[in-house]
């Protein structure tokens, strides 16, 4: 007997049989044919299409953002954006802070340094009406049920729709990039000639990636009917692609100067970084990076099958990716699904805030943030530059300027001085200096780093215990937080010489430049790992002893087992680029216009039923079958789902007429 399956569809059960069954007249019946097609390592044709003149990548970071571009005619030349107006002393201004300012009537005003400076210069009575947002990208990672309606809080406590803020930010980058390209071309540059790339953390779930895409549509980056013009790139993958092309003079190897016990003395780490920074500074005038179009020197040491780890330490998240090199072209294969978590450098800011709450009281800090939002921003900027000066071998204290309004407001609020509060609090290593500053002993600063760095080290330790992650040749440390000597030393101590630690010179721009390379050739990563198990709910023929009795359903005298999870792809399964999973569905009624199928996912590899704990409905597949009505009694809609890309895609065809059916997967509106 042929295996019978039923697809569970909203409101009714749909029966599925690989051959047209007698009961086809039943209004709730849908055949479903499971099959999995493995396309051999051919390049997916999904990314071909119109040719673009230029690729522009936007690295939309938690703490800082920027864009870079390359012309398809000169893929070796990657140009990073013009210098930003404003900027902080001691911080490279090749990216601008991810801060946005809206006018009191919620119109876009400015972005980056410009937003920060303008907000700062506003009169306090006026500034509380303006909407200032920073570090808002993390909301997409931390919101459990992200939707188009998710809201963010501005510094003054007012709420705004997240999609509007992300769209404003992307529209700002679009305008900047188009202006720069037009100036270069000496004529108006057409947006249709640009392929856009936006980077996101690899550990983001599908709704967050789709949210970014929706924001790009809203910002007018690409039209909705041409989704191919925008690629979502995964941050550590982009870094990996860039690191592949590095020459040895473009990076610092902090593992080479080892002494007997396999550790390198800390001063070498510091000195190596200082030399590198000098090297970068001398090259700073030029914003064009030449990438070796052959595989870089580093790879002359790599053989077929060698493995390396990219640790992308950003402002919000830390993302780990394990890649294996496939020669001769140097294609990459992901060996273990991306992992990581919300352990970026803003964790250190939260620790500093907790420290302030401990000294001055959480009630005061909450009030101060709302009543003097611009002064709070000032205080965090002062902390930021001191944070960058923290190092393992530092002995002299770090001074943090307290804004005058902090001192003043505290006195009004509590009736005694800031100095008194510091004396009274039993916080070690933080003193008041007569110049009106918080004086932090290096140990106090290092303690602020500890929770975040511990998380990262724990994560790396767990990763290195996985069988797929044995004998790693290199560990690339990238992302802005990778510049921290404290983090570098911790990683070095953990590895104990097991693999070489490599830090690219312009570590904060690694992802940006890699994203441009990815946009020029998205097929460079041939094999990825699925982060989750995906499938749909079906009915199967009930088998005594195999299926639980409470799942039995009798329909027209036939016994069915409900809620069976039909797996499309399992967690951590290898998926080649262009590989598809194929299923066939048929509309329940001849007049049906839309087939809606729920997609379920789980972090477990083996799932039996959609009702199991940990299985959640994560998306819907919509097949728009209008206009496919035909004289054929049994209309079969063949659906192909692609899982090998950075986003999940669906395509569908009406088998009888070979016409394309509109198929869309939605992970946002649950």
């Amino acid at each position: 007997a042929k295996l019978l399956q039923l697809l569970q569809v909203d409101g009714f059960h749909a029966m599925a049989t690989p051959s047209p069954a007698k009961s086809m007249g039943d209004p709730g019946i849908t055949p479903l044919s499971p099959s999995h097609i493995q396309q051999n390592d051919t390049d997916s044709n999904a990314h071909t299409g119109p040719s673009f003149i230029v690729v522009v990548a936007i690295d939309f970071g938690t703490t800082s953002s920027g864009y870079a571009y390359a012309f398809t005619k000169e893929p070796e030349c990657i140009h990073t954006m013009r210098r930003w107006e404003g900027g902080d002393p001691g911080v490279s201004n090749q990216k601008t802070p991810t801060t946005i300012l809206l006018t009191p009537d919620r119109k876009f005003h400015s972005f980056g340094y410009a937003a920060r400076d303008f907000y700062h210069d506003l009169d306090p009575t006026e500034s509380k009406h303006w909407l200032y947002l920073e570090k808002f990208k993390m909301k997409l990672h931390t919101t459990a049920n992200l939707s188009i309606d998710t809201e963010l809080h501005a510094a003054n406590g007012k709420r705004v729709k997240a999609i509007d803020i992300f769209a404003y930010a992307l529209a700002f980058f679009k305008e900047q990039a188009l202006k720069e390209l037009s100036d270069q071309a000496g004529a108006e540059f057409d947006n249709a000639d640009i392929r856009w790339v936006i980077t996101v953390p690899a550990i983001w779930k599908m709704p967050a990636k789709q949210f970014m895409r929706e924001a790009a549509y809203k910002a007018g980056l690409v039209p909705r009917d041409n989704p191919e013009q925008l690629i979502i790139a995964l941050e550590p993958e982009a870094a990996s692609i860039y690191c592949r092309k590095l020459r040895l003079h473009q990076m610092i190897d902090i593992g080479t100067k080892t002494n007997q016990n396999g550790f390198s003395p800390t001063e070498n780490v510091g000195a190596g970084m200082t030399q590198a920074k000098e090297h970068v500074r001398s090259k700073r005038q030029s914003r064009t990076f030449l990438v070796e179009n052959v595989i870089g020197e580093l790879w002359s040491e790599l053989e077929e099958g060698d493995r390396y780890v990219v640790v992308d330490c950003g402002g919000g998240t830390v993302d780990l990716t394990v890649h294996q090199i496939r020669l001769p072209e140097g294609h990459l294969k992901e060996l273990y699904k991306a992992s990581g978590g919300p352990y970026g450098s803003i964790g250190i800011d939260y620790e500093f805030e907790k420290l302030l709450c401990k000294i001055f009281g959480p009630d005061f800090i909450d009030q101060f943030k709302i009543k003097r939002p611009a002064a709070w921003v000032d205080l965090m900027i002062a902390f930021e530059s001191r944070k960058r000066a923290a190092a393992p071998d530092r002995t002299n204290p770090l001074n943090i300027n307290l804004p005058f309004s902090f001192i003043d407001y505290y006195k009004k609020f509590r009736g005694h001085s800031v100095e008194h509060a510091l004396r009274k609090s039993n916080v070690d290593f933080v003193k008041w200096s007569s110049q009106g500053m918080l004086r932090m002993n290096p140990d106090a600063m290092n303690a602020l780093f500890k929770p975040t760095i511990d998380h990262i080290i724990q994560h790396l330790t767990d990763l290195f215990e996985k069988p797929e992650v044995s004998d790693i040749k290199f560990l690339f440390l990238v992302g802005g937080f990778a510049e921290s000597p404290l983090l570098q030393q911790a990683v070095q101590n953990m590895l104990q010489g097991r693999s070489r630690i490599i830090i690219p010179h312009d570590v904060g721009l690694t992802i940006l430049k890699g994203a441009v390379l990815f946009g020029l050739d998205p097929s460079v990563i041939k094999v990825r790992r699925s982060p989750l198990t995906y499938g749909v709910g079906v009915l199967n023929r009930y088998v005594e002893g195999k299926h639980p009795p409470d799942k039995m359903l009798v329909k027209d005298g036939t016994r069915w087992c409900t809620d069976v999870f039909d797996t499309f792809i399992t967690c951590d399964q290898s998926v080649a680029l262009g590989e598809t999973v194929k299923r066939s569905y048929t509309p329940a009624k001849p007049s049906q216009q839309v087939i809606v199928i729920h997609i379920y996912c789980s972090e477990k590899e083996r799932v039996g039923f959609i009702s199991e704990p940990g299985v959640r409905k994560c998306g819907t597949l919509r097949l728009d079958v209008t206009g496919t009505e035909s004289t054929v009694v049994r209309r079969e809609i063949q659906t192909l789902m692609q899982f090998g890309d950075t986003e999940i895609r669906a395509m569908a065809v009406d088998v009888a007429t070979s016409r394309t059916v509109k198929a869309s997967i939605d992970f946002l509106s649950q």
Side-chain angles (χ1 to χ4, degrees):
K2 286 220 168 124
L3 167 76
L4 282 164
Q5 275 194 322
L6 264 141
L7 182 69
Q8 284 184 206
V9 182
D10 270 356
F12 57 80
H13 294 294
M15 180 143 96
T17 94
S19 62
K22 285 204 178 68
S23 55
M24 277 309 285
D26 186 306
I29 296 189
T30 310
L32 176 151
S33 58
S35 68
H36 185 91
I37 316 168
Q38 166 86 45
Q39 284 183 359
N40 293 330
D41 208 8
T42 51
D43 285 348
S44 137
N45 56 3
H47 279 302
T48 54
S51 50
F52 302 100
I53 295 176
V54 69
V55 168
V56 181
I58 299 174
D59 176 5
F60 195 131
T62 303
T63 45
S64 64
S65 298
Y67 67 89
Y69 58 94
F71 291 94
T72 46
K73 289 201 302 287
E74 303 179 285
E76 291 85 60
C77 289
I78 299 175
H79 310 267
T80 56
M81 64 251 142
R82 299 170 174 168
R83 291 291 289 270
W84 300 101
E85 300 303 310
D88 292 339
V91 178
S92 122
N93 302 337
Q94 296 222 308
K95 283 162 90 180
T96 193
T98 309
T99 51
I100 196 163
L101 182 64
L102 307 187
T103 61
D105 59 357
R106 296 172 178 255
K107 295 273 181 290
F108 174 80
H109 179 272
S110 48
F111 188 90
Y113 288 119
R116 224 171 60 178
D117 297 346
F118 187 90
Y119 181 60
H120 178 258
D121 295 342
L122 285 169
D123 185 76
T125 50
E126 208 184 335
S127 70
K128 58 173 183 275
H129 300 296
W130 288 65
L131 288 85
Y132 178 82
L133 293 100
E134 59 177 0
K135 298 176 189 157
F136 48 85
K137 179 182 166 192
M138 275 305 279
K139 185 84 178 179
L140 297 197
H141 181 71
T142 52
T143 305
N145 45 359
L146 185 68
S147 80
I148 289 292
D149 299 319
T150 296
E151 293 186 320
L152 300 171
H153 288 270
N156 61 1
K158 291 203 172 108
R159 285 153 47 149
V160 275
K161 280 179 89 163
I163 193 85
D164 293 341
I165 297 302
F166 280 82
Y168 279 143
L170 291 172
F172 167 80
F173 280 112
K174 173 190 169 184
E175 194 188 328
Q176 296 290 319
L178 275 171
K179 209 151 68 197
E180 183 167 342
L181 288 165
S182 299
D183 288 354
Q184 273 207 353
E188 202 62 33
F189 203 89
D190 187 0
N191 189 38
D193 291 331
I194 300 177
R195 162 171 270 167
W196 292 95
V197 180
I198 299 176
T199 63
V200 304
I203 51 173
W204 269 15
K205 304 266 191 294
M206 279 307 303
K209 293 181 193 170
Q210 188 184 330
F211 187 94
M212 254 329 186
R213 182 170 275 284
E214 291 295 330
Y217 291 148
K218 188 161 185 163
L221 221 58
V222 301
R224 201 178 277 279
D225 55 13
N226 186 17
E228 297 295 326
Q229 198 186 341
L230 167 69
I231 298 180
I232 299 287
L234 307 181
E235 286 160 2
E237 282 192 359
S240 177
I241 292 164
Y242 179 67
C243 290
R244 236 176 32 128
K245 301 248 182 193
L246 289 173
R247 299 294 294 255
L248 290 175
H249 64 78
Q250 293 168 311
M251 54 200 176
I252 310 133
D253 181 344
I254 65 173
T256 47
K257 304 191 179 111
T258 43
N259 50 17
Q260 292 70 30
N261 61 1
F263 291 102
S264 82
T266 50
E267 63 267 24
N268 285 347
V269 181
M273 271 321 256
T274 317
Q275 284 166 351
K277 287 209 175 107
E278 278 317 307
H279 172 87
V280 172
R281 221 165 265 134
S282 63
K283 297 263 180 296
R284 222 352 94 68
Q285 286 62 42
S286 140
R287 295 180 304 113
T288 304
F289 291 84
L290 279 168
V291 181
E292 308 300 327
N293 58 358
V294 297
I295 290 185
E297 277 170 34
L298 180 69
W299 299 96
S300 57
E301 298 186 33
L302 278 177
E303 288 135 32
E304 169 78 48
D306 273 348
R307 299 144 181 241
Y308 61 97
V309 172
V310 176
V311 182
D312 167 21
C313 308
T317 50
V318 168
D319 245 354
L320 293 83
T321 303
V322 186
H323 277 157
Q324 186 172 38
I325 192 94
R326 290 166 67 177
L327 298 175
E329 301 87 358
H331 288 148
L332 302 178
K333 172 181 178 179
E334 188 178 12
L335 287 184
Y336 184 72
K337 65 173 194 227
S339 62
Y343 317 130
S345 58
I346 56 173
I348 301 153
D349 303 350
Y350 292 141
E351 290 300 317
F352 178 61
E353 198 176 315
K354 277 185 357 204
L355 178 73
L356 292 175
C357 288
K358 210 163 147 189
I359 300 170
F360 304 108
D363 51 345
F364 167 71
I365 296 296
D366 287 346
Q367 272 302 303
F368 180 70
K369 278 161 81 172
I370 288 169
K371 291 282 192 294
R372 302 278 187 278
W376 173 255
V377 170
D378 251 15
L379 175 56
M380 290 317 278
I381 291 169
F383 173 68
E384 178 69 34
S385 71
R386 304 325 298 140
K387 180 169 101 178
R388 288 170 185 268
D393 45 1
R394 191 181 172 100
T395 49
N396 48 338
L398 294 135
N399 291 322
I400 295 162
N401 237 328
L402 278 184
F404 171 73
S405 66
F406 186 98
I407 299 165
D408 186 49
Y409 193 64
Y410 184 77
K411 183 121 176 109
K412 285 197 185 98
F413 190 89
R414 284 268 191 262
H416 59 240
S417 70
V418 163
E419 196 177 348
H420 176 83
L422 270 159
R423 272 207 309 275
K424 215 179 61 181
S425 80
N426 50 3
V427 173
D428 293 339
F429 309 125
V430 183
K431 300 276 175 281
W432 178 247
S433 87
S434 51
Q435 295 90 27
M437 296 184 179
L438 278 184
R439 173 166 287 178
M440 286 181 83
N441 175 308
D443 292 349
M445 180 58 101
N446 297 1
L448 299 181
F449 278 75
K450 192 174 166 13
T452 303
I453 288 180
D454 285 353
H455 271 304
I456 297 171
I457 296 302
Q458 184 56 54
H459 222 91
L460 268 172
T461 308
D462 294 348
L463 184 71
F464 271 78
E465 280 168 6
K466 301 268 186 277
E468 302 89 337
V469 190
S470 54
D471 44 275
I472 294 288
K473 204 159 200 177
F474 298 106
L475 182 142
F476 288 101
L477 213 47
V478 303
F481 191 22
E483 288 186 25
S484 159
L486 290 168
L487 177 63
Q488 291 172 12
Q489 190 191 39
V491 172
Q492 219 168 346
N493 293 351
M494 182 231 116
L495 282 175
Q496 305 213 335
R498 275 182 292 178
S499 59
R500 285 168 61 190
I501 303 172
I502 306 263
I503 304 170
H505 276 315
D506 235 336
V507 71
L509 297 176
T510 310
I511 288 155
L512 196 44
K513 293 183 277 189
V516 174
L517 294 172
F518 181 62
L520 291 165
D521 177 17
S523 66
V524 57
I525 296 187
K526 290 289 182 209
V527 180
R528 289 189 173 82
R529 298 275 172 160
S530 174
L532 297 165
T533 297
Y534 288 100
V536 292
V538 298
L539 298 185
N540 274 358
R541 272 289 176 81
Y542 187 80
V543 180
E544 205 67 63
K546 177 187 167 194
H547 292 136
D550 60 336
K551 297 264 182 223
M552 190 173 78
L553 168 95
V554 181
K555 190 175 160 95
D556 301 339
T558 307
R559 299 193 307 165
W560 298 96
C561 177
T562 64
D563 294 345
V564 177
F565 187 94
D566 171 30
T567 305
F568 287 165
I569 190 165
T570 60
C571 175
D572 207 26
Q573 177 184 333
S574 297
V575 206
L577 195 64
E579 188 175 321
T580 53
V581 176
K582 192 195 240 177
R583 292 286 190 274
S584 285
Y585 302 114
T586 193
K589 305 185 195 69
S591 60
Q592 196 174 338
Q593 304 289 305
V594 177
I595 304 178
V596 177
I597 296 154
H598 294 312
I599 296 174
Y600 294 86
C601 67
S602 168
E603 289 181 7
K604 289 190 309 209
E605 207 171 312
R606 288 204 160 71
V607 183
F609 297 96
I610 58 174
S611 51
E612 285 174 23
V615 178
R616 55 194 173 83
K617 182 182 154 239
C618 62
T620 34
L621 172 65
R622 273 177 74 90
L623 302 175
D624 182 348
V625 292
T626 41
T628 58
E629 296 84 355
S630 64
T631 49
V632 186
V633 182
R634 177 173 173 266
R635 280 164 62 208
E636 185 187 344
I637 309 293
Q638 199 177 69
T639 310
L640 295 176
M641 268 162 289
Q642 272 195 339
F643 289 92
D645 229 313
T646 57
E647 296 174 276
I648 297 173
R649 286 212 290 265
M651 293 153 289
V653 172
D654 182 350
V655 177
T657 61
S658 305
R659 278 172 51 194
T660 306
V661 171
K662 258 177 79 177
S664 59
I665 295 191
D666 182 17
F667 292 95
L668 267 180
S669 43
Q670 291 309 308

